[in-house]
Amino acid sequence: MAITKKYLKSKPICKVTFAVPAEEAKKVEVLGSFNDWSAKKALKLKKLKNGTFKGTVDLEKDNSYEFRYLVDGTYVNDEQADAYAWNDFAGAENSVLNL
């Protein structure tokens, strides 16, 4: 899994690209504090020919965001996250993105 951050000079925004290698998966989404953990607002990643799912979201810089991938209905953390935060509601750790 990979996270790419591209900061814009003209706005306080960072373009964050998520890439998840999941050849066997049918559907990969990103849910987190930036979309209220809502399945309706989830960032749906597109499957590329090489089996990697990829998608980009614009997030405000100078913030931290918790997130998890939803791979075919199973929550997965990103091993390249900036940090991890325990979530009592989920009973598990969330990945953290620091911008």
Side-chain angles (χ1 to χ4, degrees), residues 28-39:
V28 179
E29 299 173 307
V30 185
L31 282 85
S33 55
F34 53 87
N35 57 21
D36 300 324
W37 297 95
S38 167

Side-chain angles (χ1 to χ4, degrees), residues 23-99:
E23 283 186 46
E24 305 300 317
K26 291 179 175 59
K27 183 174 163 186
V28 179
E29 299 173 307
V30 185
L31 282 85
S33 55
F34 53 87
N35 57 21
D36 300 324
W37 297 95
S38 167
K40 289 181 182 179
K41 298 178 188 175
L43 173 63
K44 292 167 183 26
L45 305 185
K46 292 185 179 149
K47 190 169 190 175
L48 306 178
K49 289 181 182 177
N50 66 3
T52 298
F53 284 80
K54 200 170 188 180
T56 302
V57 64
D58 290 352
L59 298 175
E60 199 173 301
K61 69 176 197 166
D62 299 325
N63 282 310
S64 289
Y65 302 93
E66 291 186 25
F67 73 96
R68 293 187 92 185
Y69 298 112
L70 188 58
V71 181
D72 288 343
T74 302
Y75 283 101
V76 179
N77 276 331
D78 192 316
E79 67 268 4
Q80 293 183 352
D82 296 326
Y84 299 96
W86 180 258
N87 181 303
D88 286 332
F89 180 76
E93 285 187 329
N94 291 333
S95 299
V96 177
L97 187 62
N98 294 320
L99 302 179

